[in-house]
Amino acid sequence: MTVTTAGELPDSLYDVIVVGAGVVGSAIARELARRRLRTAFVDASDDVGNGTSKANTAILHTGFDAVPGSLEARLVRDGQRRLAAYAAEAGIPVEPIGALLVAWDRTQLDALPALAAKAERNGYHDARLIDADEVRRREPHLGPGALGALDVPGESIICPWTTTLAYATQAVRGGVDLHLNCRVQSITGTTHHELATSRGLLRTRFLVNAAGLYADELDRQLGHDTFTVTPRRGQLIVFDKFARPLVRHILLPVPTALGKGVLVSPTVYGNVMLGPTAEDLDDKQATGSTAEGLALLREQGRRILPELVTEEVTAVYAGLRAATEHDDYQVRAHARQRYITVGGIRSTGLTASMAIAAYVMDLLSDVGLDPGPAHDLEPVRMPNLGEAFPRPWQQAELIAADPAYGTLVCHCERVSLGEIRDALDSTVPPGSLDGLRRRTRARGGRCQGFFCGPAVRSLFEEERR
């Protein structure tokens, strides 16, 4: 098992290198681990899932509202099936709570039948229209004025952090090298690709570009100019767990041309999330929140769920989606270059990730890679971060066997010393305190590390010495 974060890189020739260790890049690396290939995945960051993948709306989509016939529609539908099964196997928290697409005016209400028909064209047959009385019965805390809704019972909430980490862990355990703090600066070569990185040279026969926000720039280095990534910022507010009884479903607005709009959704961690905004920017690192964005969210949240905006806020954050000028994923094979572009993967990429990985494997074969027979990987079982499933502090037998699981370090999120120890000693250890938070929830509760921060930092720094 090889994970490097500094120092020289291997001098040998890889069969495949995947650029990007987000949820899609990690899924592709995991799929490649099933073949007897020399493979690596690399990322400019100090952790997996540290770009667009760490700050999304954490929904396992059905694909009911995708553009019918699009690649995205096909891969989201297939990916939802694959990821739901994988999550059950790997211990990734998923709660199938369903979604209501709420109409607040006559125009939105009139649009619902077309959305139901669209769901049918996308192969999703469980969506149905419900009237205002049923909406009120299903969501008694909803604001006044809801005229009806489209009920989509197959929508779920999921932990995006554990998903990416499970893929990466299984890939590394399956023999794939992971090189972090490894920014690809330029690509040259004829018989094989030579990647000049911030840590030195890497060489590979085949190349997969899953660089997220930077996929267009990498594509242009290889002579392709078919799409431009315009970072679309989504700001979100996370409310305290006391708000959780206010909402039972994912509450979606009727979508617009800019996306699915502002939603209210429970999280698997027991909070309630409001957002995201949709702001097209030029800066691919503009992940800060703004007073205007948060005010807009509170205004919209007040209409959807008035009591929510009076609840205490745990955190605010912003993520960037890899939007392009096209309304579909930009996944292309370039046979002469032995190169695959995986661009324009928007917020549905979490759901579609495993299907994208399978699709990329087919494309690699099309451009000349002989992957050989696939074999099963050793299953992984990830630590549970979900509030609806047993945590270590709730398991007496586990604590009796190892008292570290009964020693709480983060009292807001009830994270034990044993969980932090395990994360620091894991196959893909965190590269930062934020990475540790995404693996354990430590410092992610209502005090945001005010009380547990020094202890968590001490454990983190002690492990790195």
Side-chain angles (χ1 to χ4, degrees):
M1 295 187 289
T2 301
V3 178
T4 72
T5 58
E8 293 185 0
L9 297 166
D11 185 41
S12 55
L13 179 66
Y14 283 105
D15 292 312
V16 186
I17 286 180
V18 180
V19 180
V23 70
V24 172
S26 296
I28 295 168
R30 175 189 170 276
E31 189 64 35
L32 285 162
R34 300 178 63 225
R35 318 298 174 121
R36 299 198 181 284
L37 298 167
R38 182 158 171 70
T39 303
F41 60 138
V42 305
D43 200 279
S45 173
D46 61 7
D47 203 354
V48 298
N50 205 23
T52 58
S53 301
K54 73 178 180 185
N56 59 38
T57 48
I59 295 175
L60 182 58
H61 295 283
T62 59
F64 79 96
D65 55 348
V67 177
S70 65
L71 179 63
E72 181 180 22
R74 175 158 68 94
L75 296 182
V76 169
R77 186 168 59 247
D78 183 25
Q80 190 270 347
R81 177 183 57 81
R82 289 174 184 261
L83 181 50
Y86 181 72
E89 173 189 301
I92 299 167
V94 174
E95 293 185 50
I97 60 174
L100 296 179
L101 198 74
V102 181
W104 295 96
D105 59 38
R106 190 71 209 181
T107 301
Q108 293 176 8
L109 187 66
D110 291 344
L112 293 184
L115 287 166
K118 191 177 192 179
E120 288 286 336
R121 294 202 301 279
N122 280 321
Y124 183 73
H125 305 297
D126 293 332
R128 68 185 184 94
L129 301 174
I130 60 176
D131 62 22
D133 289 341
E134 184 170 350
V135 174
R136 178 67 52 192
R137 182 180 61 77
R138 300 268 294 271
E139 286 290 352
H141 296 279
L142 207 64
L147 300 178
L150 182 67
D151 177 23
V152 189
E155 298 276 300
S156 303
I157 52 176
I158 186 171
C159 177
W161 305 330
T162 310
T163 303
T164 305
L165 190 61
Y167 292 157
T169 298
Q170 212 168 15
V172 171
R173 290 181 183 174
V176 176
D177 291 348
L178 170 60
H179 302 303
L180 298 168
N181 297 315
C182 190
R183 180 179 298 280
V184 175
Q185 297 167 325
S186 65
I187 301 172
T188 57
T190 52
T191 58
H192 57 261
H193 299 282
E194 294 194 346
L195 281 62
T197 81
S198 52
R199 291 179 48 198
L201 189 68
L202 284 170
R203 298 181 301 135
T204 182
R205 295 168 56 223
F206 292 83
L207 181 64
V208 178
N209 170 10
L213 291 168
Y214 301 92
D216 57 340
E217 297 175 24
L218 202 63
D219 222 33
R220 288 194 181 92
Q221 288 198 33
L222 286 133
H224 308 289
D225 189 12
T226 56
F227 68 96
T228 298
V229 173
T230 301
R232 181 168 294 165
R233 181 166 60 187
Q235 302 185 48
L236 297 106
I237 301 174
V238 179
F239 290 89
D240 195 83
K241 297 176 196 296
F242 289 121
R244 181 63 183 84
L246 293 176
V247 58
R248 301 171 180 174
H249 306 79
I250 305 164
L251 300 178
L252 300 169
V254 176
T256 70
L258 275 180
K260 295 177 179 177
V262 173
L263 59 85
V264 174
S265 175
T267 74
V268 294
Y269 321 113
N271 304 92
V272 177
M273 185 170 58
L274 171 65
T277 57
E279 311 156 58
D280 287 344
L281 306 173
D282 297 323
D283 185 353
K284 292 183 177 180
Q285 299 184 44
T287 55
S289 298
T290 66
E292 295 79 11
L294 299 179
L296 174 68
L297 289 180
R298 296 184 74 88
E299 178 186 337
Q300 298 199 29
R302 188 171 290 109
R303 177 173 191 186
I304 300 168
L305 210 64
E307 294 173 67
L308 179 64
V309 295
T310 66
E311 293 288 336
E312 295 180 13
V313 172
T314 294
V316 298
Y317 67 94
L320 298 175
R321 288 160 275 177
T324 74
E325 65 272 45
H326 305 286
D327 59 4
D328 201 356
Y329 292 165
Q330 301 300 297
V331 184
R332 297 193 178 93
H334 309 280
R336 186 177 57 80
Q337 295 176 301
R338 305 172 312 284
Y339 168 60
I340 309 295
T341 303
V342 188
I345 309 299
R346 297 168 296 196
S347 60
T348 53
L350 169 62
T351 300
S353 52
M354 297 188 81
I356 294 172
Y359 186 61
V360 167
M361 281 304 304
D362 290 341
L363 294 181
L364 281 168
S365 296
D366 292 345
V367 302
L369 175 70
D370 178 8
H375 62 271
D376 292 335
L377 295 172
E378 182 180 342
V380 292
R381 190 69 184 174
M382 305 303 293
N384 168 46
L385 300 187
E387 199 75 359
F389 308 93
R391 300 277 305 286
W393 69 272
Q394 297 170 302
Q395 302 178 52
E397 290 185 3
L398 182 63
I399 294 170
D402 186 345
Y405 292 113
T407 305
L408 293 187
V409 177
C410 171
H411 289 261
C412 293
E413 294 298 301
R414 298 185 177 91
V415 181
S416 67
L417 177 64
E419 291 168 277
I420 294 173
R421 176 201 61 199
D422 293 349
L424 293 171
D425 194 37
S426 62
T427 302
V428 183
S432 66
L433 287 171
D434 283 344
L436 182 59
R437 177 175 52 82
R438 293 194 293 273
R439 285 161 174 81
T440 64
R441 289 172 44 184
R443 296 169 59 251
R446 61 181 355 216
C447 89
Q448 290 289 288
F450 183 83
F451 290 104
C452 68
V456 175
R457 177 180 290 277
S458 176
L459 291 167
F460 177 76
E461 292 179 348
E462 182 179 338
E463 179 67 22
R464 289 167 68 91
R465 278 198 290 269

